[in-house]
Amino acid sequence: MLKSTLNYMLFLLILSSLKIFGFYTTVPEVLRFSTLLSTTGWLILFFLLFTFFFREWGFGLYCVISIALFIDFLYFQNFGNLPSVKQLVLLPQVGKLGANIRYFTNFFSLLFVADLIPLGIFDRRRYLQLRTTDFSTPKGLFLTMILCSVFAIVPLVSEKLKPGQVFNRYGFFAYHIFDIATVFSKPERENYSVTHMNHEQPSSKKYWSIASNRNIIVVQLESFQNFLVNMRYNGQEVTPNLNKLVRNDSIYFNNYYQQTGIGNTADAEFVSLVSLHVPGDEVAYEKYADIDFYALPRILKNHGFHTVAMHGNVGWFWNRFKIYPHLGFEKFLSLEDFNQDEVFGMGLNDVSFFEQSVDVLKNYPEPFFSFLVTVSSHSPFVIPEQYRKLMLLPEDENTMFGNYLQAVHYADYALGIFVDRLKKAGLYERCILILYGDHAGLYPFNKESKERLSAIFEKEYTYKEAMNIPLIFHIPGCKINEIVSTVGGQIDFLRTVLNVIGIDDSGVVSFGRDLLNTEDGFVALRYHVPDGSFVDDERYFEISKDGILQNSLAVNYIEGTSLPYYECLDGFKAAVKQIETSKNMLETAEATLAKLR
């Protein structure tokens, strides 16, 4: 019986190894010696434990490994990272991501779990036999387990690492065990103090108050990336209506970057409206839902604006119905409040959403601040056939890239209808229309997307290009047509808006700058690249996934030359300080609120 048990567990060990290393082939830069050594150590350790101590549950372990790999694969294809137990709170959101899950559930992903049912039938008979069988522990077992434990565990406790770095250095088992351990450990807080920022006097600021006495309409465009602006594909303009706005009466920020975390769209809202960093591995709207923020809607409300938010998804998604009042929104209209005449993907289609939004705004008290969040160009970008108007090249049919172009082209068509409706309602000339992308749609972690976009741009498609999103201030009749190339991010949105509206920002606590009145551009990148990564007006620094600074990507993108990593340490330290100081502020506010309850 011992021999058959050993053979069976060895068989499961081999299958587990094949699945794990097959998963590693889908993740960039993870196949390295330390990863293979750690994974091997964990596999042997678990093999011995479940052969001699928990032998009745060997198949249970195999099921856990297989299902975890299946989930990890689907999650990575969507978000470019591995899931965390901290995100179990987000399980109610899974239903709304059904299209994404179905899109990435392919033949390869099913290989992780396809054998569980037939193996389970066989294991049931084996389990009944094992319950009545005893056998002795072989000599040297404990020594072998200790050696495996050294290889598997010591690296995790020998240095301070973040979960993503653990995975890229030590692999699948180390990541998930480390992730679970962090839930029960109290994180050390970096000792960063809040520094006061210097601000110019309003009268001396460029474009001060050029959009005063206007209604403010902000549109957060789902998955819009900066390369879409003026892009031509197969002889067609991909976003003709957005391009028309950029070319007339607009200030266009072409070096603007996303700073979102796991919350994606919701995190884009938080950073833009609050001007503080998101947690990264937790959704800001979930974590800070009870804090009253001095956010952009509240500031504008205090200056006489009537504030309203509108979104074509259900109100509970990303906890919007709860946090919006804490941001200063007086009214929130979600899918439940609209006529649901056509719903696909993540919610109400953009054309209907925009048309009904104008019906609300034309009867809304003025001046108003309206915040609109679109959904039709959400991943996996599969829209109804009748709305696919772009003529795709044969190689782009039924690909993520092709689907993305079709979806953003439709969203742009809806934007054109929105502008026309604003004009007919008499709102267009009396507003400032602000548009920005919430986050990328196509990331380099997706092999297909990276290869296709690298071919189109004739250079490697990196996270710098992916996380670059458009920001447009369109002010009808202003006669301004300017491109601002100062590097900035969503954290700079609040102060830049206040400047053109003509509201003094000296009392605002934030980490953003007014991009129209700063000489030195800088943005701390988040989540898809490790904290400490940044872009400034000359340099791009991307921390290595394994957390080793010497392995990081450092380039002068103006000159197209590589840099030694140590020439970027000043920006690295500035990015980390900004993120950690913001985190300390939010944790202090959260702790204070908890004491008052």
Side-chain angles (χ1 to χ4, degrees), residues 512-528:
R513 301 153 303 151
D514 172 7
L515 294 179
L516 294 168
N517 292 279
T518 185
E519 295 180 358
D520 301 318
F522 181 84
V523 60
L525 301 176
R526 301 299 312 279
Y527 189 62
H528 289 290

Side-chain angles (χ1 to χ4, degrees), residues 103-165:
Y103 184 86
F104 290 110
T105 304
N106 52 25
F107 176 76
F108 182 82
S109 68
L110 292 175
L111 289 177
F112 293 116
V113 293
D115 60 345
L116 296 185
I117 293 177
L119 275 176
I121 295 172
F122 168 78
D123 188 79
R124 175 62 180 170
R125 293 197 297 269
R126 174 184 165 275
Y127 173 79
L128 295 174
Q129 290 178 318
L130 282 173
R131 293 182 64 183
T132 58
T133 305
D134 291 315
F135 44 80
S136 60
T137 302
K139 296 179 180 179
L141 174 65
F142 289 104
L143 178 60
T144 304
M145 291 178 63
I146 290 171
L147 289 175
C148 290
S149 300
V150 169
F151 283 117
I153 299 172
V154 169
L156 296 181
V157 298
S158 61
E159 55 186 324
K160 292 173 62 176
L161 294 174
K162 295 184 177 180
Q165 296 168 350

Side-chain angles (χ1 to χ4, degrees), residues 221 224-233 235-252 390 408-409 411-413 415-416 419 428 433 435 470-474 480-483:
L221 297 165
F224 264 59
Q225 297 177 244
N226 193 57
F227 68 73
L228 294 171
V229 178
N230 295 320
M231 179 185 185
R232 296 193 70 84
Y233 168 84
Q236 306 155 94
E237 270 191 293
V238 178
T239 55
N241 293 296
L242 184 68
N243 298 342
K244 192 184 301 181
L245 294 174
V246 168
R247 289 192 290 261
N248 298 284
D249 295 334
S250 288
I251 304 170
Y252 164 45
L390 276 182
V408 295
H409 186 66
D412 178 81
Y413 164 73
L415 177 62
V419 173
Y428 175 75
L433 177 60
L435 308 109
L471 171 64
I472 300 105
F473 286 11
H474 180 67
I480 298 173
N481 294 292
E482 183 173 344
I483 297 176

Side-chain angles (χ1 to χ4, degrees), residues 518-560:
T518 185
E519 295 180 358
D520 301 318
F522 181 84
V523 60
L525 301 176
R526 301 299 312 279
Y527 189 62
H528 289 290
V529 292
D531 288 352
S533 304
F534 71 89
V535 182
D536 65 17
D537 290 329
E538 293 183 351
R539 300 171 298 173
Y540 171 56
F541 187 58
E542 181 184 319
I543 303 292
S544 174
K545 297 283 189 181
D546 59 16
I548 300 174
L549 287 177
Q550 293 90 328
N551 296 341
S552 301
L553 174 65
V555 295
N556 182 317
Y557 63 87
I558 301 298
E559 298 178 358

Side-chain angles (χ1 to χ4, degrees), residues 414-480:
L415 177 62
I417 291 177
F418 179 57
V419 173
D420 288 340
R421 287 296 183 102
L422 289 175
K423 291 177 179 178
K424 291 177 181 177
L427 294 170
Y428 175 75
E429 296 293 340
R430 297 184 287 111
C431 82
I432 171 175
L433 177 60
I434 303 175
L435 308 109
Y436 68 91
D438 58 353
H439 55 75
L442 303 174
Y443 286 100
F445 63 72
N446 183 281
K447 184 179 179 182
E448 173 196 305
S449 298
K450 181 171 184 175
E451 290 178 351
R452 187 67 182 104
L453 286 165
S454 295
I456 287 176
F457 298 140
E458 298 181 343
K459 65 176 183 179
E460 184 181 6
Y461 181 63
T462 68
Y463 281 98
K464 179 181 179 297
E465 284 75 34
M467 299 172 80
N468 185 197
I469 54 176
L471 171 64
I472 300 105
F473 286 11
H474 180 67
I475 311 171
C478 72
K479 307 301 181 185
I480 298 173

